Amino acid sequence: MSGQVQPTCLWGNLASFAADMRKMINAPEFSDVKFIVGKERKVVYAHRCILAHRCETFSTMFAQQPLSRDAKGVDIPFVVSDVQPDVFLAVIEFLYTNSVMLSSKMALEVLTSAVEYGLDDLQKAAVTYRQTDMKDKCLTFIQSHTKSIVKTQGFHELSDPAMLVILQSDLLTIDEPDLINFVREWAHVNSVVLDKSVPEIAKEVVRELRLFLLTPDELTALEVENKKDNLIPVDKIAEVWKFHALKKSSGIAVHLLRRRKGTRPRDHHKYLNLYHK
């Protein structure tokens, strides 16, 4: 309508606002939630309203455990034992101020927590910081914690190139049948997200699965599972059966015959002339 007054957006001092919000981080006064963090059992104070509205993970956490007190009337804290206090506080700082100061030592740990808490903006910040060596640090972390990493949402969200880099490593601390199962889960998740078939999603990735490490019984079980989604091309499985029949590894890419660090020894491995660091 003509003559209608349009609303005007007024901006205050954003730096001052962020500074004031930063003062609230880990401040006991007026806080209404307490965390016991890390092996050090450091106490961290926070505000439910801010965390719940800024992070879906905290929102779910608080919904599942409403305010409760022990017999003495003391609020029961949340225990977060698998995160270092400095890393947890970095996540809190980001939630309060939408910014965070990262050291090169903390960047990888903060990235891992950002994935766990579903904080996309913080993930981008952690990856951007010291990006030149982030890839190597991330791979080293994954190699040392493979069994935990493959169970995370972040693993399911990996791109094809990232998955290929991981699967090419000899140092993964996981047995091959387990790794194959988690790669299958990754392919199914991405199949739904990208609206593509499982074989199409996993076409390049499955070439790095070390099927020759499997026993005949494990290979039979794999074939049964494979009939459900055709994750692995039939000719790839046939090559492994041929190896078991002839006990010869000629013509096979050398790295596919190597055990990973977490590979459980099997009797037929003596035919592979395997080694690993």
Side-chain angles (χ1 to χ4, degrees), residues 184 220-232 234 237:
R184 171 172 272 114
T220 298
L222 177 65
E223 279 191 306
V224 172
E225 194 66 25
N226 203 60
K227 289 179 180 178
K228 301 175 183 178
D229 56 17
N230 297 312
L231 173 74
I232 302 171
V234 175
I237 298 178

Side-chain angles (χ1 to χ4, degrees), residues 1-8:
M1 295 177 60
S2 60
Q4 183 176 5
V5 178
Q6 297 297 319
T8 301

Side-chain angles (χ1 to χ4, degrees), residues 30-253:
F30 303 126
S31 68
D32 59 1
V33 64
K34 184 167 65 175
F35 298 90
I36 306 298
V37 184
K39 296 179 181 179
E40 303 90 335
R41 297 187 63 79
K42 180 180 178 65
V43 177
V44 175
Y45 297 93
H47 306 80
R48 286 173 178 259
C49 183
I50 295 175
L51 299 188
H53 282 85
R54 290 277 287 153
C55 177
E56 183 65 30
T57 299
F58 281 115
S59 177
T60 301
M61 181 188 299
F62 298 151
Q64 293 175 345
Q65 183 179 325
L67 284 171
S68 55
R69 293 179 171 82
D70 60 19
K72 297 182 180 179
V74 179
D75 289 340
I76 298 175
F78 290 88
V79 178
V80 185
S81 58
D82 57 347
V83 180
Q84 296 179 20
D86 288 347
V87 174
F88 187 77
L89 282 169
V91 172
I92 297 296
E93 180 180 353
F94 183 82
L95 293 177
Y96 275 64
T97 67
N98 212 40
S99 64
V100 63
M101 296 295 294
L102 290 179
S103 66
S104 58
K105 182 179 179 180
M106 284 179 57
L108 177 60
E109 287 77 7
V110 172
L111 171 60
T112 303
S113 292
V115 171
E116 181 179 353
Y117 288 101
L119 303 176
D120 293 339
D121 288 344
L122 182 53
Q123 289 182 50
K124 294 174 185 177
V127 170
T128 301
Y129 186 87
R130 293 291 297 274
Q131 193 168 13
T132 53
D133 61 353
M134 182 58 67
K135 175 182 174 182
D136 292 339
K137 288 184 177 180
C138 284
L139 183 57
T140 299
F141 182 83
I142 292 169
Q143 289 168 338
S144 301
H145 303 84
T146 312
K147 291 181 180 179
S148 299
I149 292 296
V150 293
K151 298 176 183 178
T152 65
Q153 181 180 348
F155 181 81
H156 290 150
E157 295 174 350
L158 286 172
S159 64
D160 290 7
M163 183 65 77
L164 280 170
V165 170
I166 292 172
L167 294 182
Q168 288 165 354
S169 172
D170 294 343
L171 302 179
L172 300 181
T173 49
I174 189 172
D175 200 20
E176 202 68 18
D178 296 329
L179 181 60
I180 293 171
N181 288 336
F182 286 113
V183 169
R184 171 172 272 114
E185 290 181 9
W186 166 84
H188 277 266
V189 169
N190 283 272
S191 175
V192 173
V193 172
L194 301 177
D195 194 23
K196 295 182 179 179
S197 67
V198 168
E200 186 178 3
I201 291 292
K203 181 179 179 180
E204 299 297 328
V205 167
V206 295
R207 296 177 182 177
E208 298 301 326
L209 295 175
R210 303 184 182 183
L211 305 181
F212 297 93
L213 301 179
L214 306 185
T215 67
D217 287 345
E218 290 169 333
L219 193 59
T220 298
L222 177 65
E223 279 191 306
V224 172
E225 194 66 25
N226 203 60
K227 289 179 180 178
K228 301 175 183 178
D229 56 17
N230 297 312
L231 173 74
I232 302 171
V234 175
D235 61 322
K236 295 295 181 184
I237 298 178
E239 287 179 357
V240 186
W241 280 121
K242 181 178 179 180
F243 161 77
H244 279 294
L246 301 179
K247 301 297 189 292
K248 293 181 180 180
S249 58
S250 59
I252 302 170

